[in-house]
Amino acid sequence: MSIIPRHIAVIMDGNGRWAKNRKLPRGIGHRQGVKSAQRIIKSCVDLGVRYLTLYAFSTENWKRPPREIKIIMNLFLKYITASKTELPEHEKVRVRVIGRWHELPYGLPSKIQSIIDDTAKHEGLNLTLAINYGGRKEILDAIGAIIKDSKTINTKNVISEEFLQKYLYAPEIPDPDLLIRTAGEYRISNFLLWQMAYAEIYVTKKLWPDFGKSDLMEAMNDFQNRERRFGSV
Ligand code: FPP
């Protein structure tokens, strides 16, 4: 594969439909969803992708039934607690979490903080999990932080794209080159609104639990055939 996208972002949709198709509870679909995420993380390591961002839980997902939210939170807890052994250890994956994750229940914030700290010096794949994430909230949080800093900065002269970028949740991460959305919907659902400006969008009908390495490679092949002009001719 000649042009490997540096940063792939994924909207992992279709866990519920995957379960429904099998007459199984939605929670089983989410459990398979975690397995699928683990497969794709390993595939990105194998294929030389440098940045992978997974949309795991949006600020809108709180509207789901409390029972389902509890199941999803417990899966996160299990995944994050076990990730020391479950991430491809020798590959030194660096984990970041974006979103209002400090507000999560079940002791998740301290577990998240420790995986961020434990992997901070890792130089392999940069894995970012978007949990309790909303693109509009990220921009609002940036504006809030700028206002807080405004006593020490001359906001009149410095408001630029680069300046705002510094206040985003993970300013050091390059913008996604490729957005993959599974389960067939053509929407970006409040995901990385600022960063998605020039991303190539790839939608597949495959449901997230069925999405594997060969599907990822198909998306990457499609990406290679796009002509990216970034506004020029
Ligand atoms: C989308 O399917 C899934 C979610 C909104 C949340 C759960 C995501 C996971 C469990 C994967 C997490 C991965 C890691 C690495 C922690 P849906 O329920 O919206 O499906 P539907 O549209 O078919 O109902």
Side-chain angles (χ1 to χ4, degrees):
M1 202 165 282
S2 52
I3 316 160
I4 304 288
R6 182 163 56 153
H7 182 176
I8 298 181
V10 188
I11 300 180
M12 309 179 283
D13 198 9
N15 294 347
R17 274 163 279 179
W18 184 92
K20 196 173 170 217
N21 291 344
R22 288 165 178 74
K23 300 193 168 46
L24 294 168
R26 293 176 61 84
I28 306 285
H30 294 313
R31 202 170 70 196
Q32 287 304 120
V34 174
K35 285 194 183 145
S36 190
Q38 287 169 318
R39 254 193 335 261
I40 293 307
I41 293 164
K42 286 204 177 74
S43 305
C44 283
V45 169
D46 294 347
L47 294 166
V49 174
R50 295 295 301 136
Y51 295 86
L52 173 68
T53 301
L54 300 176
Y55 202 7
F57 196 85
S58 76
T59 46
E60 288 70 40
N61 285 149
W62 296 109
K63 293 177 197 149
R64 294 185 177 216
R67 220 182 88 83
E68 181 171 343
I69 292 175
K70 197 171 172 190
I71 289 171
I72 294 173
M73 292 299 147
N74 275 312
L75 283 170
F76 292 159
L77 196 60
K78 211 170 130 198
Y79 174 75
I80 287 165
T81 313
S83 55
K84 272 202 173 123
T85 49
E86 301 205 349
L87 282 172
E89 174 59 23
H90 59 288
E91 298 291 351
K92 297 287 174 208
V93 174
R94 176 170 179 183
V95 181
R96 293 177 178 84
V97 179
I98 54 170
R100 293 184 174 174
W101 56 269
H102 292 101
E103 298 168 0
L104 292 169
Y106 308 125
L108 267 161
S110 67
K111 302 278 184 205
I112 288 174
Q113 190 63 60
S114 62
I115 188 158
I116 292 173
D117 295 343
D118 290 352
T119 64
K121 291 202 165 65
H122 289 184
E123 289 177 348
L125 172 74
N126 289 277
L127 169 66
T128 304
L129 303 175
I131 308 183
N132 196 18
Y133 175 88
R136 288 187 173 181
K137 294 258 182 332
E138 176 171 27
I139 295 168
L140 285 179
D141 285 348
I143 295 169
I146 291 169
I147 292 169
K148 239 180 164 179
D149 277 3
S150 62
K151 287 196 184 75
T152 53
I153 50 176
N154 180 355
T155 42
K156 241 192 245 151
N157 297 327
V158 293
I159 293 294
S160 63
E161 290 186 14
E162 293 71 27
F163 174 77
L164 194 136
Q165 167 88 21
K166 286 191 200 123
Y167 285 88
L168 297 177
Y169 294 140
E172 70 283 14
I173 295 185
D175 289 347
D177 302 293
L178 172 62
L179 167 69
I180 298 174
R181 179 165 188 148
T182 59
E185 241 91 53
Y186 288 78
R187 285 196 282 277
I188 58 171
S189 299
N190 204 12
F191 188 34
L192 302 175
L193 291 183
W194 178 274
Q195 299 86 336
M196 218 59 97
Y198 291 103
E200 295 293 330
I201 301 178
Y202 177 88
V203 176
T204 170
K205 281 210 162 64
K206 275 261 167 107
L207 304 177
W208 176 246
D210 292 327
F211 190 86
K213 189 176 184 178
S214 60
D215 302 298
L216 176 68
M217 288 172 75
E218 209 173 301
M220 287 165 75
N221 268 325
D222 188 87
F223 171 81
Q224 287 191 353
N225 297 322
R226 309 273 180 105
E227 194 189 335
R228 303 186 80 201
R229 291 198 297 269
F230 299 97
S232 80
V233 286

